[in-house]
Amino acid sequence: MNVNIPMVIKVNFRNFCFLLLALSSTSVISADLPDTIAKVKPSIVAIGIYNRLTSPSSTLLGAGFVVGNGQLVATNAHVISVPLNKEKKDKLVVFVVKEGGAEVRSVTVLSVDKVHDLALLKISGQPLTPLHLSERRVREGELFAFTGFPIGAALGLNPVTHRGIISSITPIATPVKTTKELSSKQLRSLKNSYDIYQLDATAYPGNSGSPVYDPDTGEVVAVINKVLVKSTKENMLSDPSAITYAIPVKYLKRLIRNLN
C-alpha cells in the first residue's frame, strides 16, 4: 500500500478546511457591515452653509456625526472655518438626511480644538441618535468603515460608505533634514506631536468629519481628516498623496468632557 496517498488526502482536506474558514470569515464581515451602515447612517449629518435667498441655497462643507446627548455634532474644525457673509444672511447649518430630502437645522459652535482639528456643534430641534465612541485600542491591520458625503456638491446629500484597514499608526508630523524645510504649521505639530491613523481607503472632499467605525458594532474609533494632516505630514510634497488620515477618537472624547 502506498502510504503517501492518505497523507496527501489529509493535507488537502486540511487546506480545504482553512479555505472554508477564510471564506466564512469574509462572509461574516460582509454580512455585518450592511446592518451596521443602516444603524449608523441616521447619525451622519452634512455640514454646510444655507441661504434661502441665494442660488444654490446650500453649500456643502463636510460631514459630521451625532454624539453625546443627541444634540451634539462632531466634525473637523476646518470644516466650519469658512467665513460667513453676514450681510447676505449666510447661516452655518447641519443637514439631517431623511427619506425624500434633508432637514435644515441651525447650529451653535460650542468648542473648537485647533491642535487636533476637531469641533463640537449644538444642533437645534429634537435629539438624534448618537454614535458610541469606542474605548478599544486600535491596531494596524484592523478593518474599519467610514461614512460621509464625498464630493457632496456634485453627488448630493447621499451618505457614502468606504472600507479599509488601518495601514499605519504614525506621527502627525514627519521630521525633516533641516529646520529651513519646516513650515510654521509643522513646527507647531512637532511641538504637539501625536499619532494619527493612516487608512488604505480613499477619502474625498466632503469626507472631512466622517466617523471611522467598527464594521461590526458601529463604535467610532476616529474622525476622517483631509486638511490638517496633509498640510503638516505632507507639506514637502508638491502633489499631496491620496492617502487618507484620521484623528483618534480619544481627542474628541476629551473635547466632550471639557464641555462640562
Side-chain angles (χ1 to χ4, degrees):
M1 178 181 292
N2 189 342
V3 294
N4 290 328
I5 294 177
M7 290 177 65
V8 171
I9 293 174
K10 183 177 181 180
V11 169
N12 287 340
F13 178 74
R14 184 181 179 186
N15 290 341
F16 180 68
C17 289
F18 282 142
L19 178 61
L20 286 178
L21 181 60
L23 290 174
S24 173
S25 299
T26 302
S27 63
V28 168
I29 292 174
S30 300
D32 287 343
L33 184 56
D35 291 336
T36 303
I37 291 173
K39 181 175 68 173
V40 165
K41 278 175 67 173
S43 303
I44 309 296
V45 299
I47 297 168
I49 298 172
Y50 179 75
N51 189 331
R52 62 184 181 86
L53 301 177
T54 62
S55 182
S57 59
S58 304
T59 302
L60 185 66
L61 301 176
F65 57 99
V66 182
V67 295
N69 62 5
Q71 288 190 307
L72 293 180
V73 167
T75 187
N76 290 147
H78 77 262
V79 168
I80 62 168
S81 65
V82 177
L84 301 177
N85 190 326
K86 300 290 186 179
E87 293 181 0
K88 292 186 177 180
K89 298 184 179 179
D90 285 351
K91 293 182 179 179
L92 182 68
V93 298
V94 157
F95 301 98
V96 180
V97 180
K98 295 187 174 182
E99 198 171 323
E103 177 187 349
V104 181
R105 299 225 191 161
S106 59
V107 301
T108 303
V109 179
L110 293 182
S111 186
V112 175
D113 176 1
K114 291 185 178 180
V115 173
H116 303 99
D117 196 22
L118 297 170
L120 283 172
L121 314 176
K122 182 179 180 180
I123 58 173
S124 61
Q126 293 296 314
L128 301 174
T129 304
L131 295 182
H132 187 267
L133 305 183
S134 178
E135 300 283 347
R136 60 173 290 185
R137 182 173 73 91
V138 172
R139 301 173 62 198
E140 292 179 356
E142 290 185 317
L143 182 71
F144 293 98
F146 58 91
T147 302
F149 301 91
I151 323 177
L155 302 181
L157 292 177
N158 301 300
V160 179
T161 300
H162 300 266
R163 187 179 72 172
I165 65 166
I166 301 293
S167 51
S168 178
I169 300 175
T170 177
I172 188 171
T174 303
V176 295
K177 296 178 182 177
T178 66
T179 55
K180 293 181 180 179
E181 298 176 351
L182 288 170
S183 67
S184 58
K185 185 173 289 187
Q186 193 174 31
L187 278 169
R188 289 194 299 270
S189 296
L190 285 171
K191 184 178 179 180
N192 302 291
S193 185
Y194 57 93
D195 287 344
I196 45 93
Y197 303 143
Q198 179 179 315
L199 292 89
D200 69 344
T202 302
Y204 299 89
N207 270 127
S208 286
S210 299
V212 181
Y213 55 87
D214 188 302
D216 296 326
T217 66
E219 292 189 347
V220 179
V221 300
V223 184
I224 291 291
N225 188 290
K226 290 288 291 181
V227 172
L228 173 69
V229 180
K230 286 185 180 295
S231 63
T232 53
K233 192 171 182 64
E234 299 185 0
N235 73 315
M236 294 303 294
L237 300 180
S238 57
D239 184 16
S241 73
I243 295 173
T244 294
Y245 300 100
I247 307 296
V249 76
K250 66 180 180 180
Y251 301 111
L252 175 60
K253 292 164 73 173
R254 181 188 302 171
L255 195 61
I256 295 172
R257 285 197 303 269
N258 288 341
L259 285 178
N260 301 322

